[in-house]
Amino acid sequence: NKVVATITVGTYPLCIAYDPSNGYIYVTDDGSSSVSVINPSTNKVVATISVGEDPYGIVYDPSNGYLYVANNGSGTVSVINPSTNSVIATITVGTYPKGIVYDPSNEYLYVTDCGSASVSVINPSTNKVVATISVGEDPYGIVYDPSNGYLYVANNGSGTVSVINPSTNSVIATITVGTYPKGIVYDPSNEYLYVTDCGSASVSVINPSTNTVIATISVG
């Protein structure tokens, strides 16, 4: 548990994604409106890609091998071809997009639009928005749960988590968690979901079988 290297990237780096097709790491640089490409073999930046303003979330799409970047300041998603490290498309979504996730069940991408209290659904075959789902206020993090095939959205402004059924693109449940929830992750070892509650200095643990909070963990 020691730092083995420090890599200089753009200003205000936020999110990070791994590309299994080339083994590189992609980092969104919020203050630079760019994405830094890191070769982990050398721990050096090998390319810098200009995207939209204030890039936030980033995800790799295994269905086409592209990377999708949610540009918080532009209301867009940039599509990166890692073979050329260039933007090949720009998709307009809701205002202040932040989190983005790939759903392997339908091969669509889901983007949390913080300013619109919604989630935009992107078909990567056409790079177009095919649906918009209303959720809680200020949605941030989003995760796919392979145990039930649902998507879970942390609503920062509502203190809730919205549960989306991607078969119908509708919210089927709303779970109350701590204040200002932001990040959310699925744990395959126990099939629980963990939500960071920024305003409560805690993590809420959700059992997706019942969509209820079963524990709250105090953190920093």
Side-chain angles (χ1 to χ4, degrees):
N1 287 327
K2 295 184 186 238
V3 173
V4 296
T6 301
I7 308 163
T8 300
V9 292
T11 52
Y12 306 129
L14 285 178
C15 296
I16 189 165
Y18 171 74
D19 182 343
S21 69
N22 59 15
Y24 288 166
I25 308 287
Y26 290 74
V27 183
T28 55
D29 303 316
D30 181 69
S32 306
S33 295
S34 63
V35 171
S36 295
V37 187
I38 296 170
N39 181 345
S41 299
T42 59
N43 282 330
K44 292 186 184 301
V45 173
V46 294
T48 302
I49 308 164
S50 295
V51 290
E53 290 182 19
D54 305 327
Y56 207 94
I58 183 169
V59 71
Y60 173 77
D61 183 341
S63 71
N64 57 18
Y66 295 155
L67 291 140
Y68 288 74
V69 181
N71 301 308
N72 180 59
S74 301
T76 60
V77 169
S78 296
V79 186
I80 294 174
N81 182 344
S83 299
T84 58
N85 280 330
S86 60
V87 173
I88 58 169
T90 301
I91 308 163
T92 299
V93 290
T95 51
Y96 308 129
K98 283 188 165 62
I100 185 166
V101 72
Y102 170 78
D103 183 342
S105 69
N106 58 17
E107 298 186 343
Y108 287 168
L109 295 149
Y110 289 74
V111 186
T112 57
D113 302 317
C114 184
S116 309
S118 63
V119 171
S120 294
V121 186
I122 295 172
N123 181 345
S125 299
T126 59
N127 282 331
K128 292 186 183 301
V129 173
V130 294
T132 304
I133 308 163
S134 295
V135 290
E137 291 182 20
D138 304 329
Y140 265 68
I142 182 169
V143 71
Y144 172 76
D145 183 341
S147 71
N148 58 18
Y150 294 157
L151 294 142
Y152 288 75
V153 181
N155 301 309
N156 180 61
S158 301
T160 61
V161 170
S162 296
V163 186
I164 294 173
N165 182 344
S167 298
T168 58
N169 281 330
S170 61
V171 173
I172 58 168
T174 302
I175 308 164
T176 299
V177 291
T179 52
Y180 308 129
K182 282 190 164 67
I184 185 166
V185 70
Y186 170 79
D187 182 343
S189 71
N190 58 15
E191 298 186 346
Y192 290 163
L193 297 148
Y194 291 76
V195 186
T196 58
D197 301 318
C198 184
S200 309
S202 64
V203 171
S204 296
V205 186
I206 294 171
N207 181 344
S209 298
T210 58
N211 281 330
T212 56
V213 173
I214 57 170
T216 302
I217 308 164
S218 295
V219 292

